[in-house]
Amino acid sequence: MTRERTTGDRTSQEPARSLDPDRTLDVDALIDDPKTRIVVCCGSGGVGKTTTAAAIGLRAAERGRKVVVLTIDPARRLAQSMGIDSLDNVPRRVKSIEPVDGAAGSGELHAMMLDMKRTFDEIVEAHTDKERAKAILNNPFYQSLSAGFAGTQEYMAMEKLGQLRSRDEWDLIVVDTPPSRSALDFLDAPKRLGSFLDGKLIRLLMAPAKVGGRAGMKFLNAGMSMMTGALGKLLGGQLLRDVQMFVTAMDSMFGGFRTRADATYRLLQAPGTAFLVVASPERDALREAAYFVERLAADDMPLAGLVLNRVHGSGAAQLSAERALAAAENLEESRIVDQEDGKVGVRNSPENSATSENPAPSDPEDPAPSEAPTDPEPSADPEPSESSEDPSVEQLTAGLLRLHAERMQLLVREQRTRDRFTALHPEVAVAEVAALPGDVHDLAGLRAVGDRLAG
């Protein structure tokens, strides 16, 4: 494979560098290690996180591990590819697992899709009495908060991860992080929730309940009249009362939220966790990946490596883009110069009949050309025009050479982008996943991704 290097107006070719074997990510070693208990696939949107997580989970299960894949992808592609009718908040076992030769034990694969509201409901039901849980679940503000409050999905993903890990039912949990605008939301969720619960507004709204009884109402009426009046105008009196009732009912749970958030955050930092940053070989995706790598390092999160997804290749990489374009131009130019059909047509045209070596005899009774009768019926075998002629072998070959040149130019761009990342982050191991010819929609496709992922 070659890499183009432009100097001035000239473009030269040099061999492309393959990844250093010492810097290649060994995915099989990672998932085979019994100490690896959590694999978190993260990255920007649209780079194949869900497919990567599913492929890793399937490969680990077929190599003997008991795996659960937690996805937050609302498109439900994971369920379809695993042959499950639907995924919900309960792990579902995937059938048709094919253990590989030499696998230690019989592996299992389960999959589930995060139901944000149901997870929130489960937390409420598990950490408060029935009467208070009913009041919380029926509260309009809680229903809005649990269904779509900013950051709730990311936090609930952390909660579900903590629940799965505490059950100790699976020896490997693979997490597909939420499709957020920023890949950092997953890490920030516990801190954001803590900041929200410790915020001044929440403390003020909780104050009446903490003071209690008439004293609390007196405090609310005297000390918060201006604030509640302003909030009432802004939010509406009923919404403000819903918020106050929600905060009062949730008071006993706030400490538990913070405690579990901190515990899950520490779990992500533990040695048994491995982060895989997934990216496509494009500048924006790798820029986001580089930012995420730096953030993981700053937060002491264990990074296993980068999965470079959908990398293009060519079966004729020895033919560079420059040579392919030159060959295509040569074929096209030779066709332009050698106009054999055109010369024959010019030689036999009526205008040149007088200069022909064997001029056709003239018949004095033939009408003049301008008086020639028109044929009312079209000819049975009209001669094809030049525009309707089938492409010649030279034209087809030139077109294929140009397509190959475009592919090679794409390969060069992808390699340059990859090399920029590896130069900035030489400590990060990389696994390249060759692009598949089509979408992944079944277990066979996931196995193909897993094979490419493992090299």
Side-chain angles (χ1 to χ4, degrees):
M1 194 171 292
T2 59
R3 187 208 319 255
E4 293 185 0
R5 180 177 58 191
T6 302
T7 305
D9 294 329
R10 299 182 61 186
T11 302
S12 62
Q13 304 290 324
E14 63 178 8
R17 293 193 303 270
S18 300
L19 283 172
D20 187 339
D22 294 335
R23 295 180 55 184
T24 301
L25 175 63
D26 190 342
V27 174
D28 282 346
L30 176 69
I31 62 179
D32 288 345
D33 187 352
K35 295 180 182 179
T36 303
R37 303 297 303 274
I38 297 173
V39 173
V40 181
C41 297
C42 50
S44 57
V47 296
K49 293 193 304 293
T50 299
T51 301
T52 300
I56 289 174
L58 176 61
R59 190 171 183 85
E62 294 187 335
R63 294 175 71 86
R65 303 204 63 179
K66 192 173 182 179
V67 187
V68 60
V69 177
L70 169 62
T71 182
I72 302 95
D73 182 11
R76 302 181 183 272
R77 290 170 297 180
L78 182 61
Q80 297 172 358
S81 64
M82 291 186 170
I84 300 176
D85 293 336
S86 63
L87 291 179
D88 52 22
N89 220 37
V90 178
R92 306 289 180 184
R93 185 165 182 177
V94 179
K95 301 177 181 179
S96 303
I97 299 300
E98 301 175 359
V100 299
D101 294 337
S106 57
E108 294 181 11
L109 177 61
H110 297 74
M112 62 182 298
M113 187 176 72
L114 177 71
D115 185 328
M116 181 175 62
K117 187 179 186 312
R118 184 58 201 150
T119 301
F120 211 148
D121 293 349
E122 290 173 353
I123 296 170
V124 172
E125 293 167 350
H127 294 89
T128 189
D129 57 75
K130 291 184 178 180
E131 183 176 350
R132 181 168 291 189
K134 183 178 179 180
I136 294 172
L137 296 178
N138 292 332
N139 184 277
F141 179 75
Y142 167 78
Q143 292 173 358
S144 298
L145 175 70
S146 60
F149 193 76
T152 306
Q153 185 184 49
E154 287 79 11
Y155 177 77
M156 289 304 141
M158 301 283 281
E159 279 277 358
K160 183 57 67 175
L161 173 59
Q163 292 175 11
L164 293 173
R165 185 67 182 86
S166 64
R167 290 166 61 178
D168 206 27
E169 184 175 349
W170 298 276
D171 55 34
L172 180 61
I173 303 170
V174 182
V175 182
D176 166 34
T177 54
S180 307
R181 283 184 294 177
S182 172
L184 306 179
D185 289 346
F186 185 74
L187 291 178
D188 289 333
K191 292 182 180 179
R192 284 204 311 272
L193 181 73
S195 298
F196 171 72
L197 298 179
D198 289 330
K200 292 181 179 180
L201 177 60
I202 293 296
R203 292 203 302 270
L204 285 171
L205 292 174
M206 289 172 60
K210 289 183 178 296
V211 175
R214 292 183 178 179
M217 292 303 298
K218 183 178 180 180
F219 171 82
L220 177 62
N221 291 332
M224 300 179 65
S225 58
M226 293 182 63
M227 186 197 75
T228 55
L231 287 174
K233 292 179 181 179
L234 180 64
L235 305 176
Q238 183 59 48
L239 177 57
L240 180 59
R241 286 190 292 273
D242 291 339
V243 173
Q244 290 172 337
M245 291 177 62
F246 165 76
V247 171
T248 301
M250 292 283 288
D251 180 24
S252 62
M253 296 182 58
F254 283 165
F257 274 112
R258 282 189 291 267
T259 300
R260 289 192 304 277
D262 292 341
T264 305
Y265 198 79
R266 290 193 298 271
L267 179 64
L268 292 175
Q269 294 176 317
T273 300
F275 280 83
L276 289 176
V277 178
V278 184
S280 57
E282 300 171 358
R283 181 165 49 185
D284 291 343
L286 278 173
R287 184 185 295 115
E288 182 81 9
Y291 181 40
F292 201 53
V293 164
E294 294 166 3
R295 171 62 190 278
L296 288 171
D299 287 5
D300 295 324
M301 298 290 177
L303 173 64
L306 170 76
V307 174
L308 198 57
N309 205 12
R310 301 169 185 161
V311 177
H312 292 89
S314 173
Q318 69 277 9
L319 179 59
S320 68
E322 184 182 39
R323 291 172 57 198
L325 287 174
E329 291 173 358
N330 289 337
L331 286 172
E332 292 170 341
E333 288 174 0
S334 65
R335 178 172 174 80
I336 292 172
V337 173
D338 187 14
Q339 297 277 2
E340 293 181 358
D341 293 340
K343 290 179 180 179
V344 172
V346 169
R347 185 169 60 245
N348 294 334
S349 64
E351 290 79 3
N352 293 328
S353 60
T355 59
S356 175
E357 293 181 1
N358 298 308
S362 61
D363 189 344
E365 296 182 0
D366 285 347
S370 59
E371 300 174 358
T374 58
D375 188 354
E377 296 184 1
S379 173
D381 297 316
E383 294 185 1
S385 63
E386 185 176 353
S387 60
S388 65
E389 289 181 355
D390 292 334
S392 66
V393 174
E394 290 81 0
Q395 286 177 306
L396 290 174
T397 305
L400 291 174
L401 285 168
R402 290 190 179 278
L403 287 175
H404 175 77
E406 291 178 3
R407 170 56 65 93
M408 294 304 300
Q409 290 167 349
L410 175 63
L411 265 61
V412 168
R413 287 196 301 270
E414 290 182 351
Q415 290 174 8
R416 285 177 175 171
T417 306
R418 178 203 70 187
D419 291 346
R420 290 191 197 102
F421 177 88
T422 55
L424 289 172
H425 299 281
E427 77 285 359
V428 178
V430 179
E432 291 188 332
V433 182
L436 291 173
D439 294 334
V440 175
H441 53 80
D442 54 17
L443 289 177
L446 290 177
R447 289 190 185 97
V449 173
D451 291 341
R452 286 162 169 77
L453 187 59

